[in-house]
Amino acid sequence: MSTCEWSGVPQRYRNAELMAKTTPQKKLISRLVGGKGLLVCGDIGTGKTHLACAYINELCKIDVHAKYITEYAFADLFTTRHSKETWTAMTSNREIDHCKSYRVLVVDEVGKRELTKNQQIELDELISERYNNELRTIFITNMHPKEFKERIGDRAYDRLKEMDTVTVVVSGESLRGTL
């Protein structure tokens, strides 16, 4: 299978392209294509996920292993890895290891749901592992940067700072259609 088939990019964004519709999106695109770490904060429906997935699509075209996953889906892997079903546990452990080693990892929807204490610890471990291996991590959230820092904790946030993580705020009205 190609790299793109394993990327985790949702069906909706499989053909997404790196094209800006707004000034904040132009800034986001410029930051997506360079740097080690990125924190993308902003309003709902402003194209954060669309552009991050478009970036992964571009990386796939040049065989760079990149992954899209939501924070909760990642955290849920830690629950299923303790499953009594051997196949489920093995699959979860393999995916956790992959998330720690993809060249680029996009973690979306940070702060959407409450995490258990163990899930918070595992998220910290993910950040630490990627920090130690100097791998690019992109976080996407509707939270304010200060709330994001509180969410991941001082230790993980300090590591993101050393990874030259840049914060980009994508604000504005939702670009999604109307009902």
Side-chain angles (χ1 to χ4, degrees):
M1 287 190 175
S2 74
T3 304
C4 291
E5 292 176 34
W6 292 99
S7 70
V9 170
Q11 182 65 40
R12 174 172 299 282
Y13 304 110
R14 295 262 168 90
N15 295 313
E17 297 178 350
L18 277 174
M19 296 181 61
K21 294 182 179 180
T22 67
T23 301
Q25 285 185 350
K26 287 179 188 173
K27 184 177 180 182
L28 173 56
I29 289 171
S30 72
R31 294 300 187 166
L32 280 169
V33 296
K36 291 217 184 236
L38 191 59
L39 170 60
V40 184
C41 302
D43 299 322
I44 295 169
T46 54
K48 300 177 302 295
T49 299
H50 179 94
L51 291 174
C53 288
Y55 176 60
I56 290 175
N57 292 340
E58 291 300 314
L59 292 175
C60 287
K61 290 176 187 175
I62 57 172
D63 290 328
V64 173
H65 290 266
K67 176 74 173 178
Y68 169 92
I69 193 165
T70 64
E71 177 192 56
Y72 197 77
F74 177 77
D76 195 46
L77 290 171
F78 292 94
T79 304
T80 58
R81 82 172 179 179
H82 298 293
S83 171
K84 292 180 181 178
E85 295 179 31
T86 305
W87 178 253
T88 301
M90 284 176 35
T91 302
S92 293
N93 280 323
R94 185 171 40 252
E95 187 60 26
I96 290 165
D97 289 342
H98 286 163
C99 285
K100 291 178 179 179
S101 63
Y102 282 104
R103 188 80 196 123
V104 176
L105 179 68
V106 173
V107 182
D108 196 1
E109 300 180 355
V110 176
K112 183 178 175 182
R113 295 188 174 98
E114 290 299 317
L115 300 178
T116 67
K117 184 69 172 165
N118 284 340
Q119 290 170 330
Q120 289 172 333
I121 290 168
E122 298 298 347
L123 181 61
D124 179 79
E125 288 300 317
L126 171 72
I127 293 168
S128 293
E129 186 77 21
R130 295 187 62 76
Y131 164 82
N132 289 333
N133 290 302
E134 298 182 329
L135 298 171
R136 186 160 196 223
T137 309
I138 299 169
F139 294 94
I140 304 172
T141 183
N142 296 120
M143 303 171 91
H144 184 276
K146 185 177 178 182
E147 293 172 306
F148 175 81
K149 179 182 178 182
E150 291 170 5
R151 172 73 170 203
I152 66 168
D154 290 337
R155 184 178 110 95
Y157 191 79
D158 194 59
R159 288 177 179 220
L160 293 181
K161 288 190 315 188
E162 188 174 349
M163 293 169 70
D164 298 325
T165 300
V166 175
T167 300
V168 175
V169 177
V170 184
S171 57
E173 295 294 317
S174 175
L175 301 173
R176 295 187 181 120
T178 58
L179 293 176

Short mmCIF file of all heavy atoms in Angstrom, two decimals, residues 28-93:
data_model
loop_
_atom_site.label_atom_id
_atom_site.label_comp_id
_atom_site.label_asym_id
_atom_site.label_seq_id
_atom_site.Cartn_x
_atom_site.Cartn_y
_atom_site.Cartn_z
N LEU A 28 -0.95 30.08 7.73
CA LEU A 28 -0.86 28.67 8.14
C LEU A 28 -0.11 27.85 7.10
O LEU A 28 0.77 27.06 7.46
CB LEU A 28 -2.27 28.08 8.37
CG LEU A 28 -2.33 26.59 8.65
CD1 LEU A 28 -1.47 26.21 9.85
CD2 LEU A 28 -3.77 26.15 8.87
N ILE A 29 -0.41 28.04 5.84
CA ILE A 29 0.28 27.28 4.79
C ILE A 29 1.78 27.55 4.84
O ILE A 29 2.58 26.61 4.74
CB ILE A 29 -0.30 27.61 3.40
CG1 ILE A 29 -1.71 27.00 3.28
CG2 ILE A 29 0.60 27.06 2.29
CD1 ILE A 29 -2.47 27.43 2.04
N SER A 30 2.16 28.79 5.03
CA SER A 30 3.59 29.11 5.07
C SER A 30 4.28 28.42 6.25
O SER A 30 5.44 28.03 6.16
CB SER A 30 3.83 30.62 5.12
OG SER A 30 3.46 31.15 6.37
N ARG A 31 3.55 28.25 7.35
CA ARG A 31 4.12 27.58 8.53
C ARG A 31 4.08 26.06 8.39
O ARG A 31 4.94 25.36 8.94
CB ARG A 31 3.38 27.99 9.80
CG ARG A 31 3.55 29.44 10.15
CD ARG A 31 5.00 29.78 10.37
NE ARG A 31 5.11 31.14 10.87
CZ ARG A 31 6.19 31.64 11.39
NH1 ARG A 31 7.28 30.92 11.48
NH2 ARG A 31 6.21 32.88 11.83
N LEU A 32 3.09 25.54 7.66
CA LEU A 32 3.00 24.09 7.48
C LEU A 32 4.22 23.55 6.72
O LEU A 32 4.72 22.47 7.04
CB LEU A 32 1.73 23.70 6.71
CG LEU A 32 0.44 23.65 7.51
CD1 LEU A 32 -0.75 23.51 6.57
CD2 LEU A 32 0.46 22.50 8.51
N VAL A 33 4.68 24.28 5.75
CA VAL A 33 5.74 23.77 4.89
C VAL A 33 7.14 23.96 5.47
O VAL A 33 8.12 23.63 4.81
CB VAL A 33 5.65 24.38 3.46
CG1 VAL A 33 4.37 23.95 2.79
CG2 VAL A 33 5.78 25.88 3.50
N GLY A 34 7.27 24.43 6.69
CA GLY A 34 8.58 24.56 7.30
C GLY A 34 8.52 24.49 8.80
O GLY A 34 7.47 24.62 9.40
N GLY A 35 9.65 24.23 9.41
CA GLY A 35 9.71 24.21 10.86
C GLY A 35 9.57 22.82 11.45
O GLY A 35 9.30 21.86 10.76
N LYS A 36 9.77 22.75 12.75
CA LYS A 36 9.72 21.45 13.43
C LYS A 36 8.37 21.19 14.07
O LYS A 36 7.85 20.11 14.02
CB LYS A 36 10.81 21.37 14.47
CG LYS A 36 12.17 21.28 13.89
CD LYS A 36 13.02 20.36 14.71
CE LYS A 36 14.41 20.36 14.17
NZ LYS A 36 14.89 19.07 13.81
N GLY A 37 7.81 22.19 14.71
CA GLY A 37 6.56 21.98 15.42
C GLY A 37 5.58 23.10 15.13
O GLY A 37 5.99 24.21 14.79
N LEU A 38 4.30 22.79 15.25
CA LEU A 38 3.29 23.77 14.95
C LEU A 38 2.08 23.55 15.85
O LEU A 38 1.62 22.42 16.02
CB LEU A 38 2.89 23.65 13.48
CG LEU A 38 2.02 24.73 12.87
CD1 LEU A 38 2.69 26.10 12.96
CD2 LEU A 38 1.74 24.40 11.41
N LEU A 39 1.60 24.64 16.43
CA LEU A 39 0.36 24.64 17.19
C LEU A 39 -0.61 25.51 16.41
O LEU A 39 -0.37 26.70 16.25
CB LEU A 39 0.56 25.18 18.60
CG LEU A 39 -0.70 25.46 19.41
CD1 LEU A 39 -1.54 24.20 19.59
CD2 LEU A 39 -0.34 26.07 20.76
N VAL A 40 -1.67 24.89 15.92
CA VAL A 40 -2.67 25.61 15.12
C VAL A 40 -3.92 25.77 15.97
O VAL A 40 -4.58 24.78 16.30
CB VAL A 40 -3.00 24.86 13.81
CG1 VAL A 40 -3.96 25.68 12.96
CG2 VAL A 40 -1.73 24.52 13.04
N CYS A 41 -4.21 27.00 16.34
CA CYS A 41 -5.37 27.32 17.16
C CYS A 41 -6.35 28.13 16.32
O CYS A 41 -5.93 28.84 15.41
CB CYS A 41 -4.97 28.16 18.37
SG CYS A 41 -3.76 27.39 19.45
N GLY A 42 -7.61 28.03 16.66
CA GLY A 42 -8.53 28.90 15.94
C GLY A 42 -9.97 28.49 16.04
O GLY A 42 -10.32 27.49 16.65
N ASP A 43 -10.78 29.32 15.41
CA ASP A 43 -12.22 29.14 15.43
C ASP A 43 -12.63 27.90 14.64
O ASP A 43 -11.89 27.40 13.78
CB ASP A 43 -12.90 30.38 14.84
CG ASP A 43 -12.58 31.63 15.63
OD1 ASP A 43 -12.52 31.54 16.87
OD2 ASP A 43 -12.40 32.70 15.01
N ILE A 44 -13.83 27.45 14.91
CA ILE A 44 -14.41 26.28 14.23
C ILE A 44 -14.66 26.62 12.77
O ILE A 44 -15.15 27.69 12.44
CB ILE A 44 -15.73 25.88 14.93
CG1 ILE A 44 -15.43 25.42 16.36
CG2 ILE A 44 -16.46 24.80 14.15
CD1 ILE A 44 -16.66 25.26 17.22
N GLY A 45 -14.29 25.69 11.89
CA GLY A 45 -14.61 25.83 10.48
C GLY A 45 -13.72 26.77 9.68
O GLY A 45 -14.09 27.17 8.58
N THR A 46 -12.54 27.07 10.19
CA THR A 46 -11.67 28.02 9.50
C THR A 46 -10.64 27.35 8.59
O THR A 46 -9.78 28.03 8.03
CB THR A 46 -10.95 28.94 10.51
OG1 THR A 46 -10.28 28.12 11.48
CG2 THR A 46 -11.93 29.87 11.20
N GLY A 47 -10.70 26.04 8.44
CA GLY A 47 -9.83 25.33 7.51
C GLY A 47 -8.58 24.74 8.10
O GLY A 47 -7.69 24.31 7.36
N LYS A 48 -8.48 24.67 9.40
CA LYS A 48 -7.28 24.15 10.05
C LYS A 48 -7.04 22.69 9.66
O LYS A 48 -5.95 22.33 9.21
CB LYS A 48 -7.40 24.27 11.58
CG LYS A 48 -7.57 25.69 12.09
CD LYS A 48 -7.75 25.76 13.59
CE LYS A 48 -8.93 24.99 14.14
NZ LYS A 48 -10.25 25.47 13.72
N THR A 49 -8.05 21.86 9.83
CA THR A 49 -7.92 20.44 9.51
C THR A 49 -7.74 20.24 8.01
O THR A 49 -6.90 19.44 7.58
CB THR A 49 -9.15 19.67 10.01
OG1 THR A 49 -9.23 19.81 11.43
CG2 THR A 49 -9.08 18.19 9.65
N HIS A 50 -8.51 20.96 7.22
CA HIS A 50 -8.43 20.84 5.76
C HIS A 50 -6.99 21.07 5.28
O HIS A 50 -6.44 20.27 4.52
CB HIS A 50 -9.37 21.86 5.11
CG HIS A 50 -9.33 21.84 3.62
ND1 HIS A 50 -10.20 21.10 2.87
CD2 HIS A 50 -8.51 22.46 2.74
CE1 HIS A 50 -9.93 21.25 1.59
NE2 HIS A 50 -8.90 22.09 1.49
N LEU A 51 -6.37 22.14 5.74
CA LEU A 51 -5.02 22.46 5.28
C LEU A 51 -3.97 21.51 5.84
O LEU A 51 -3.02 21.16 5.14
CB LEU A 51 -4.69 23.91 5.62
CG LEU A 51 -5.49 24.94 4.81
CD1 LEU A 51 -5.21 26.35 5.31
CD2 LEU A 51 -5.22 24.82 3.32
N ALA A 52 -4.15 21.06 7.07
CA ALA A 52 -3.20 20.09 7.63
C ALA A 52 -3.27 18.77 6.86
O ALA A 52 -2.23 18.16 6.57
CB ALA A 52 -3.48 19.86 9.11
N CYS A 53 -4.47 18.35 6.50
CA CYS A 53 -4.62 17.13 5.70
C CYS A 53 -4.07 17.32 4.30
O CYS A 53 -3.46 16.40 3.72
CB CYS A 53 -6.08 16.69 5.67
SG CYS A 53 -6.65 16.02 7.25
N ALA A 54 -4.26 18.50 3.72
CA ALA A 54 -3.69 18.80 2.41
C ALA A 54 -2.17 18.69 2.46
O ALA A 54 -1.53 18.18 1.53
CB ALA A 54 -4.12 20.19 1.95
N TYR A 55 -1.59 19.17 3.56
CA TYR A 55 -0.14 19.08 3.76
C TYR A 55 0.30 17.61 3.81
O TYR A 55 1.28 17.22 3.16
CB TYR A 55 0.24 19.81 5.04
CG TYR A 55 1.69 19.72 5.41
CD1 TYR A 55 2.69 20.19 4.57
CD2 TYR A 55 2.08 19.16 6.63
CE1 TYR A 55 4.03 20.11 4.92
CE2 TYR A 55 3.40 19.08 6.99
CZ TYR A 55 4.37 19.56 6.13
OH TYR A 55 5.70 19.47 6.48
N ILE A 56 -0.43 16.79 4.54
CA ILE A 56 -0.11 15.36 4.58
C ILE A 56 -0.22 14.76 3.18
O ILE A 56 0.63 13.97 2.76
CB ILE A 56 -1.02 14.61 5.58
CG1 ILE A 56 -0.67 15.01 7.01
CG2 ILE A 56 -0.87 13.09 5.40
CD1 ILE A 56 -1.59 14.41 8.06
N ASN A 57 -1.25 15.14 2.44
CA ASN A 57 -1.40 14.64 1.07
C ASN A 57 -0.16 14.96 0.23
O ASN A 57 0.32 14.13 -0.55
CB ASN A 57 -2.65 15.23 0.41
CG ASN A 57 -3.94 14.73 1.04
OD1 ASN A 57 -3.97 13.71 1.71
ND2 ASN A 57 -5.01 15.47 0.84
N GLU A 58 0.34 16.18 0.38
CA GLU A 58 1.55 16.59 -0.36
C GLU A 58 2.76 15.77 0.08
O GLU A 58 3.57 15.36 -0.75
CB GLU A 58 1.82 18.09 -0.18
CG GLU A 58 0.81 18.98 -0.84
CD GLU A 58 0.73 18.77 -2.35
OE1 GLU A 58 1.79 18.71 -3.01
OE2 GLU A 58 -0.40 18.67 -2.86
N LEU A 59 2.89 15.52 1.37
CA LEU A 59 4.01 14.72 1.87
C LEU A 59 3.94 13.29 1.33
O LEU A 59 4.97 12.71 0.98
CB LEU A 59 4.01 14.71 3.40
CG LEU A 59 4.34 16.04 4.08
CD1 LEU A 59 4.19 15.91 5.59
CD2 LEU A 59 5.72 16.52 3.71
N CYS A 60 2.73 12.76 1.26
CA CYS A 60 2.57 11.40 0.74
C CYS A 60 3.05 11.27 -0.70
O CYS A 60 3.61 10.25 -1.08
CB CYS A 60 1.10 10.98 0.83
SG CYS A 60 0.54 10.64 2.49
N LYS A 61 2.84 12.33 -1.48
CA LYS A 61 3.26 12.30 -2.89
C LYS A 61 4.77 12.16 -3.03
O LYS A 61 5.25 11.67 -4.06
CB LYS A 61 2.81 13.58 -3.59
CG LYS A 61 1.30 13.66 -3.78
CD LYS A 61 0.92 15.00 -4.39
CE LYS A 61 -0.58 15.18 -4.43
NZ LYS A 61 -0.96 16.52 -4.93
N ILE A 62 5.50 12.57 -2.01
CA ILE A 62 6.96 12.45 -2.07
C ILE A 62 7.48 11.39 -1.08
O ILE A 62 8.63 11.40 -0.68
CB ILE A 62 7.65 13.82 -1.84
CG1 ILE A 62 7.24 14.44 -0.49
CG2 ILE A 62 7.34 14.78 -2.99
CD1 ILE A 62 8.02 15.70 -0.12
N ASP A 63 6.57 10.49 -0.70
CA ASP A 63 6.91 9.33 0.14
C ASP A 63 7.45 9.68 1.52
O ASP A 63 8.29 8.97 2.07
CB ASP A 63 7.88 8.39 -0.57
CG ASP A 63 7.22 7.66 -1.72
OD1 ASP A 63 6.01 7.37 -1.63
OD2 ASP A 63 7.91 7.38 -2.72
N VAL A 64 6.96 10.78 2.08
CA VAL A 64 7.27 11.11 3.47
C VAL A 64 6.17 10.51 4.33
O VAL A 64 4.99 10.76 4.10
CB VAL A 64 7.35 12.64 3.69
CG1 VAL A 64 7.51 12.97 5.17
CG2 VAL A 64 8.50 13.22 2.89
N HIS A 65 6.54 9.70 5.30
CA HIS A 65 5.56 9.06 6.17
C HIS A 65 4.98 10.07 7.14
O HIS A 65 5.66 10.59 8.01
CB HIS A 65 6.20 7.89 6.92
CG HIS A 65 6.50 6.75 6.02
ND1 HIS A 65 5.64 5.71 5.82
CD2 HIS A 65 7.57 6.52 5.22
CE1 HIS A 65 6.16 4.86 4.95
NE2 HIS A 65 7.33 5.33 4.58
N ALA A 66 3.69 10.34 6.95
CA ALA A 66 2.98 11.31 7.77
C ALA A 66 1.66 10.70 8.22
O ALA A 66 1.08 9.86 7.52
CB ALA A 66 2.73 12.59 6.98
N LYS A 67 1.16 11.15 9.35
CA LYS A 67 -0.04 10.56 9.94
C LYS A 67 -0.95 11.64 10.49
O LYS A 67 -0.48 12.59 11.13
CB LYS A 67 0.36 9.61 11.08
CG LYS A 67 -0.77 8.99 11.86
CD LYS A 67 -1.48 7.93 11.08
CE LYS A 67 -2.52 7.19 11.93
NZ LYS A 67 -3.22 6.20 11.17
N TYR A 68 -2.24 11.47 10.28
CA TYR A 68 -3.28 12.30 10.88
C TYR A 68 -4.03 11.44 11.88
O TYR A 68 -4.42 10.31 11.58
CB TYR A 68 -4.27 12.80 9.81
CG TYR A 68 -5.51 13.43 10.40
CD1 TYR A 68 -5.56 14.81 10.63
CD2 TYR A 68 -6.62 12.67 10.76
CE1 TYR A 68 -6.69 15.40 11.19
CE2 TYR A 68 -7.75 13.25 11.31
CZ TYR A 68 -7.78 14.61 11.52
OH TYR A 68 -8.89 15.19 12.07
N ILE A 69 -4.23 11.97 13.09
CA ILE A 69 -5.00 11.27 14.11
C ILE A 69 -5.60 12.31 15.04
O ILE A 69 -5.01 13.37 15.26
CB ILE A 69 -4.12 10.24 14.88
CG1 ILE A 69 -4.99 9.29 15.73
CG2 ILE A 69 -3.07 10.95 15.73
CD1 ILE A 69 -4.24 8.06 16.22
N THR A 70 -6.77 12.02 15.57
CA THR A 70 -7.33 12.93 16.57
C THR A 70 -6.73 12.59 17.93
O THR A 70 -6.28 11.46 18.16
CB THR A 70 -8.87 12.84 16.65
OG1 THR A 70 -9.23 11.52 17.09
CG2 THR A 70 -9.52 13.16 15.30
N GLU A 71 -6.75 13.54 18.81
CA GLU A 71 -6.22 13.32 20.16
C GLU A 71 -6.96 12.15 20.82
O GLU A 71 -6.34 11.28 21.43
CB GLU A 71 -6.38 14.57 21.01
CG GLU A 71 -5.93 14.39 22.44
CD GLU A 71 -6.34 15.53 23.34
OE1 GLU A 71 -7.56 15.83 23.41
OE2 GLU A 71 -5.46 16.11 23.97
N TYR A 72 -8.28 12.14 20.68
CA TYR A 72 -9.04 11.10 21.36
C TYR A 72 -8.81 9.73 20.74
O TYR A 72 -8.72 8.73 21.46
CB TYR A 72 -10.52 11.45 21.39
CG TYR A 72 -11.26 10.64 22.42
CD1 TYR A 72 -11.17 10.98 23.76
CD2 TYR A 72 -11.99 9.52 22.07
CE1 TYR A 72 -11.81 10.24 24.73
CE2 TYR A 72 -12.63 8.76 23.04
CZ TYR A 72 -12.55 9.13 24.37
OH TYR A 72 -13.17 8.38 25.31
N ALA A 73 -8.68 9.66 19.42
CA ALA A 73 -8.39 8.37 18.78
C ALA A 73 -7.04 7.84 19.25
O ALA A 73 -6.89 6.65 19.50
CB ALA A 73 -8.43 8.51 17.26
N PHE A 74 -6.07 8.74 19.39
CA PHE A 74 -4.77 8.32 19.90
C PHE A 74 -4.92 7.82 21.34
O PHE A 74 -4.42 6.76 21.69
CB PHE A 74 -3.76 9.47 19.83
CG PHE A 74 -2.43 9.09 20.41
CD1 PHE A 74 -1.56 8.30 19.69
CD2 PHE A 74 -2.06 9.50 21.67
CE1 PHE A 74 -0.34 7.92 20.23
CE2 PHE A 74 -0.85 9.14 22.22
CZ PHE A 74 0.02 8.34 21.49
N ALA A 75 -5.60 8.59 22.16
CA ALA A 75 -5.78 8.20 23.55
C ALA A 75 -6.54 6.88 23.67
O ALA A 75 -6.24 6.06 24.54
CB ALA A 75 -6.51 9.30 24.32
N ASP A 76 -7.50 6.68 22.77
CA ASP A 76 -8.28 5.44 22.79
C ASP A 76 -7.42 4.21 22.48
O ASP A 76 -7.72 3.11 22.92
CB ASP A 76 -9.45 5.54 21.82
CG ASP A 76 -10.48 4.47 22.05
OD1 ASP A 76 -10.86 4.25 23.23
OD2 ASP A 76 -10.91 3.83 21.07
N LEU A 77 -6.35 4.40 21.73
CA LEU A 77 -5.44 3.28 21.46
C LEU A 77 -4.89 2.69 22.75
O LEU A 77 -4.63 1.49 22.83
CB LEU A 77 -4.28 3.74 20.57
CG LEU A 77 -4.61 4.07 19.13
CD1 LEU A 77 -3.41 4.71 18.44
CD2 LEU A 77 -5.08 2.84 18.38
N PHE A 78 -4.73 3.52 23.77
CA PHE A 78 -4.19 3.03 25.03
C PHE A 78 -5.20 2.20 25.80
O PHE A 78 -4.84 1.35 26.58
CB PHE A 78 -3.66 4.20 25.87
CG PHE A 78 -2.46 4.79 25.24
CD1 PHE A 78 -2.57 5.87 24.40
CD2 PHE A 78 -1.22 4.21 25.42
CE1 PHE A 78 -1.46 6.39 23.77
CE2 PHE A 78 -0.10 4.72 24.79
CZ PHE A 78 -0.23 5.81 23.97
N THR A 79 -6.47 2.47 25.55
CA THR A 79 -7.51 1.65 26.16
C THR A 79 -7.58 0.29 25.47
O THR A 79 -7.61 -0.75 26.12
CB THR A 79 -8.88 2.36 26.06
OG1 THR A 79 -8.76 3.64 26.67
CG2 THR A 79 -9.97 1.57 26.75
N THR A 80 -7.56 0.31 24.13
CA THR A 80 -7.70 -0.94 23.38
C THR A 80 -6.45 -1.80 23.41
O THR A 80 -6.54 -3.01 23.18
CB THR A 80 -8.10 -0.67 21.92
OG1 THR A 80 -7.12 0.17 21.31
CG2 THR A 80 -9.47 -0.02 21.83
N ARG A 81 -5.30 -1.23 23.73
CA ARG A 81 -4.11 -2.07 23.77
C ARG A 81 -4.13 -3.04 24.95
O ARG A 81 -3.36 -3.99 24.98
CB ARG A 81 -2.85 -1.23 23.79
CG ARG A 81 -2.45 -0.69 25.12
CD ARG A 81 -1.10 -0.05 25.02
NE ARG A 81 -0.69 0.50 26.28
CZ ARG A 81 0.46 1.09 26.46
NH1 ARG A 81 1.31 1.20 25.47
NH2 ARG A 81 0.77 1.58 27.63
N HIS A 82 -5.02 -2.80 25.90
CA HIS A 82 -5.17 -3.72 27.03
C HIS A 82 -6.33 -4.67 26.82
O HIS A 82 -6.76 -5.36 27.76
CB HIS A 82 -5.36 -2.92 28.33
CG HIS A 82 -4.18 -2.06 28.64
ND1 HIS A 82 -2.95 -2.57 28.98
CD2 HIS A 82 -4.03 -0.72 28.65
CE1 HIS A 82 -2.10 -1.58 29.18
NE2 HIS A 82 -2.73 -0.44 28.98
N SER A 83 -6.81 -4.75 25.59
CA SER A 83 -7.92 -5.64 25.25
C SER A 83 -7.52 -7.10 25.46
O SER A 83 -6.36 -7.48 25.32
CB SER A 83 -8.32 -5.42 23.79
OG SER A 83 -9.23 -6.39 23.38
N LYS A 84 -8.51 -7.91 25.80
CA LYS A 84 -8.26 -9.34 25.94
C LYS A 84 -8.13 -10.02 24.58
O LYS A 84 -7.63 -11.12 24.48
CB LYS A 84 -9.38 -9.98 26.75
CG LYS A 84 -9.38 -9.53 28.19
CD LYS A 84 -10.47 -10.16 28.99
CE LYS A 84 -10.41 -9.64 30.42
NZ LYS A 84 -11.47 -10.15 31.26
N GLU A 85 -8.59 -9.32 23.54
CA GLU A 85 -8.43 -9.84 22.18
C GLU A 85 -7.03 -9.52 21.70
O GLU A 85 -6.65 -8.36 21.55
CB GLU A 85 -9.46 -9.20 21.24
CG GLU A 85 -10.89 -9.55 21.59
CD GLU A 85 -11.87 -8.88 20.65
OE1 GLU A 85 -11.52 -8.64 19.47
OE2 GLU A 85 -12.97 -8.58 21.11
N THR A 86 -6.25 -10.54 21.47
CA THR A 86 -4.84 -10.39 21.13
C THR A 86 -4.66 -9.51 19.89
O THR A 86 -3.79 -8.63 19.87
CB THR A 86 -4.19 -11.77 20.90
OG1 THR A 86 -4.41 -12.56 22.06
CG2 THR A 86 -2.71 -11.64 20.65
N TRP A 87 -5.45 -9.74 18.84
CA TRP A 87 -5.30 -8.97 17.60
C TRP A 87 -5.52 -7.48 17.85
O TRP A 87 -4.77 -6.65 17.36
CB TRP A 87 -6.26 -9.49 16.54
CG TRP A 87 -6.18 -8.71 15.27
CD1 TRP A 87 -7.08 -7.82 14.79
CD2 TRP A 87 -5.09 -8.71 14.34
NE1 TRP A 87 -6.64 -7.26 13.61
CE2 TRP A 87 -5.41 -7.80 13.31
CE3 TRP A 87 -3.87 -9.38 14.27
CZ2 TRP A 87 -4.58 -7.55 12.23
CZ3 TRP A 87 -3.04 -9.13 13.19
CH2 TRP A 87 -3.40 -8.23 12.19
N THR A 88 -6.55 -7.14 18.63
CA THR A 88 -6.85 -5.74 18.93
C THR A 88 -5.70 -5.11 19.70
O THR A 88 -5.28 -3.99 19.38
CB THR A 88 -8.16 -5.64 19.75
OG1 THR A 88 -9.22 -6.23 18.99
CG2 THR A 88 -8.50 -4.21 20.08
N ALA A 89 -5.20 -5.81 20.69
CA ALA A 89 -4.09 -5.28 21.48
C ALA A 89 -2.84 -5.10 20.63
O ALA A 89 -2.16 -4.07 20.72
CB ALA A 89 -3.80 -6.22 22.66
N MET A 90 -2.53 -6.07 19.79
CA MET A 90 -1.34 -5.98 18.93
C MET A 90 -1.47 -4.82 17.94
O MET A 90 -0.52 -4.07 17.72
CB MET A 90 -1.13 -7.29 18.17
CG MET A 90 -0.57 -8.40 19.02
SD MET A 90 -0.41 -10.00 18.18
CE MET A 90 0.01 -9.59 16.53
N THR A 91 -2.65 -4.66 17.36
CA THR A 91 -2.88 -3.59 16.41
C THR A 91 -2.73 -2.23 17.08
O THR A 91 -2.10 -1.31 16.53
CB THR A 91 -4.28 -3.72 15.77
OG1 THR A 91 -4.37 -5.01 15.14
CG2 THR A 91 -4.54 -2.64 14.75
N SER A 92 -3.28 -2.08 18.27
CA SER A 92 -3.18 -0.82 18.99
C SER A 92 -1.73 -0.50 19.34
O SER A 92 -1.28 0.63 19.16
CB SER A 92 -4.02 -0.87 20.27
OG SER A 92 -5.38 -0.92 19.95
N ASN A 93 -1.00 -1.49 19.83
CA ASN A 93 0.40 -1.26 20.18
C ASN A 93 1.23 -0.87 18.95
O ASN A 93 2.07 0.03 19.03
CB ASN A 93 1.01 -2.51 20.83
CG ASN A 93 0.63 -2.61 22.28
OD1 ASN A 93 0.55 -1.61 22.98
ND2 ASN A 93 0.39 -3.81 22.75
#
